[in-house]
Amino acid sequence: MKNSFLDKLLHRMDRVGSDDLQIYLQRLAKEKGFLETIFNTLQEGILVIDQKGKILYFNSSAQNLIGIPNEKALDEPIAKYLRDFDWKTILADGKVLTRDIEVSYPEERFLSSYIVPLTDDHHMIHAYALILHDLTRYREKTLETIESEKINALTVLAAGVAHELGNPLNSLNIHFQLLERELRKKGGDSPDIQEHIRVVRGEIERLDSIIHQFLQALRPATLERQPASINEVIQESLMVLKPEIDDRDILLETDYGIDLPPIQIDRNRMKQVFYNLIKNAIQATRKGGILKIATGANDTHLLIAFIDNGVGIPAENITRLSEPFFTTKPLGSGLGLLIVRRIIREHGGELQIDSQEGIGTTVRLLLPLTEKRVRMLTR
Ligand code: ADP
Ligand code: MG
């Protein structure tokens, strides 16, 4: 602060008349105000504390970052706001110090702190500047990146393992069939053995379906989008499942919206979505139940609803639906909804599931209309 306006003023103090003094004081206040304004626009929190750790100054960022309520905090100990520091040692050492800290008040934040002693002309420490920098967002970003890279690596690994499982499984299947044939030839297929065979075959099929679906869920999707009529795609998906619907005596009600705008979708992937959702509804519904499928549109989205009056999903399971492998079915894979969610997300859409135990489940899909309906302006 050498040569500052204040120094000059102090030197001349004895010569300053009382009228001038007022002008000088006004200028001083202005200079201080100017600096304060600048300090308050900084994103960094800045505090000055004295050798005993009392707060002498704080800017508005510091106030936000560590939750200083008001001006009354001046003269309060800094330890009241930043407890994690060993202030006694810091203030005794008089060294420059940097440290990352986490604060929980007024918000969970991650801060980097920098403490510098301020010295006078004789190298005597008379105060400390404490500078705080908010790293919360930066750290979240970093963690997100690490997380998504971890997931990528795991995905590649998992897909590799699943793929490798396919070959021995195939061979197992073939040899099992041969074994079965041999047994039959030798007349060794008693009811007991037949039961064992049935179980093994069922398990092989289950493994095969898990691997198949798992790979499907992981497959990096490059969507092949083409304009399609959503009603048509639903009808095609229904065709495959029609025998199952009839077999279970389920009443299918369809309410197709008319004049729906065509939508840019990957037809095959979208069929996978409908297939999975309809299959879930069928599996949840008792004989003679009802499955309703409705489509419609608003200005921005196509809406598709699958409404069943099946067993429903208990509240404690609703949150688990996004977990891979979550299933309540003895032969389920728990991957269906994962595949559905992923495909819908890739189309920029949204999946909503409402369910009441014992009453039924409604699954809604919202797909953004890429080509918004153009409204003509009439004059
Ligand atoms: P999976 O069908 O192989 O079990 P999904 O991911 O398709 O795997 O579904 C996960 C679970 O969500 C199911 O096991 C079931 O408990 C529940 N679920 C999904 N759809 C419905 C539905 N329409 N009605 C009742 N429960 C459902
Ligand atoms: Mg399913």
Side-chain angles (χ1 to χ4, degrees), residues 213 275-281 283 326-327 329 332-338 340:
Q213 289 204 51
Y275 176 88
N276 271 297
L277 294 178
I278 297 167
K279 182 112 184 162
N280 277 349
Q283 289 171 339
F326 173 74
T327 181
K329 302 166 193 169
S333 71
L335 289 168
L337 286 177
L338 197 78
V340 168

Side-chain angles (χ1 to χ4, degrees), residues 60-244:
S60 45
S61 283
Q63 200 170 354
N64 292 334
L65 289 177
I66 58 174
I68 298 175
N70 52 39
E71 295 291 326
K72 286 197 193 116
L74 291 176
D75 273 354
E76 280 185 338
I78 180 71
K80 181 173 166 190
Y81 299 98
L82 289 171
R83 292 167 208 273
D84 283 354
F85 287 93
D86 178 7
W87 288 108
K88 251 195 191 140
T89 319
I90 293 171
L91 299 175
D93 282 358
K95 284 188 198 137
V96 175
L97 183 97
T98 51
R99 229 182 91 181
D100 291 344
I101 47 169
E102 275 184 87
V103 292
S104 54
Y105 182 82
E107 256 175 63
E108 292 277 342
R109 278 209 179 91
F110 197 74
L111 308 175
S112 81
S113 67
Y114 182 63
I115 301 173
V116 229
L118 303 173
T119 51
D120 61 14
D121 290 349
H122 309 289
H123 304 289
M124 294 292 287
I125 297 171
H126 60 86
Y128 290 82
L130 167 60
I131 298 159
L132 301 170
H133 184 67
D134 190 358
L135 292 178
T136 318
R137 295 250 339 227
Y138 168 76
R139 211 169 88 115
E140 273 167 10
K141 265 248 137 63
T142 316
L143 289 180
E144 260 170 38
T145 315
I146 293 173
E147 199 56 32
S148 82
E149 267 171 24
K150 253 197 231 161
I151 290 173
N152 274 345
L154 266 180
T155 309
V156 172
L157 190 71
V161 171
H163 192 81
E164 286 306 309
L165 286 177
N167 294 334
L169 189 65
N170 228 348
S171 144
L172 199 68
N173 199 11
I174 291 167
H175 285 277
F176 182 67
Q177 281 177 25
L178 293 173
L179 202 67
E180 203 186 336
R181 206 177 298 164
E182 285 296 311
L183 264 176
R184 209 176 303 134
K185 254 198 264 169
K186 297 208 163 100
D189 55 344
S190 66
D192 265 5
I193 289 177
Q194 268 175 18
E195 174 61 13
H196 291 314
I197 287 175
R198 201 189 56 76
V199 171
V200 174
R201 194 185 296 128
E203 296 291 288
I204 288 178
E205 270 166 24
R206 178 162 166 226
L207 261 178
D208 189 55
S209 126
I210 291 176
I211 291 172
H212 185 74
Q213 289 204 51
F214 187 62
L215 284 172
Q216 225 168 35
L218 295 182
R219 192 168 62 186
T222 33
L223 296 182
E224 283 172 32
R225 289 180 186 237
Q226 258 161 12
S229 143
I230 208 77
N231 291 344
E232 252 180 55
V233 182
I234 294 177
Q235 277 156 354
E236 281 169 25
S237 317
L238 271 172
M239 214 111 80
V240 189
L241 290 162
K242 195 81 175 80
E244 221 167 312

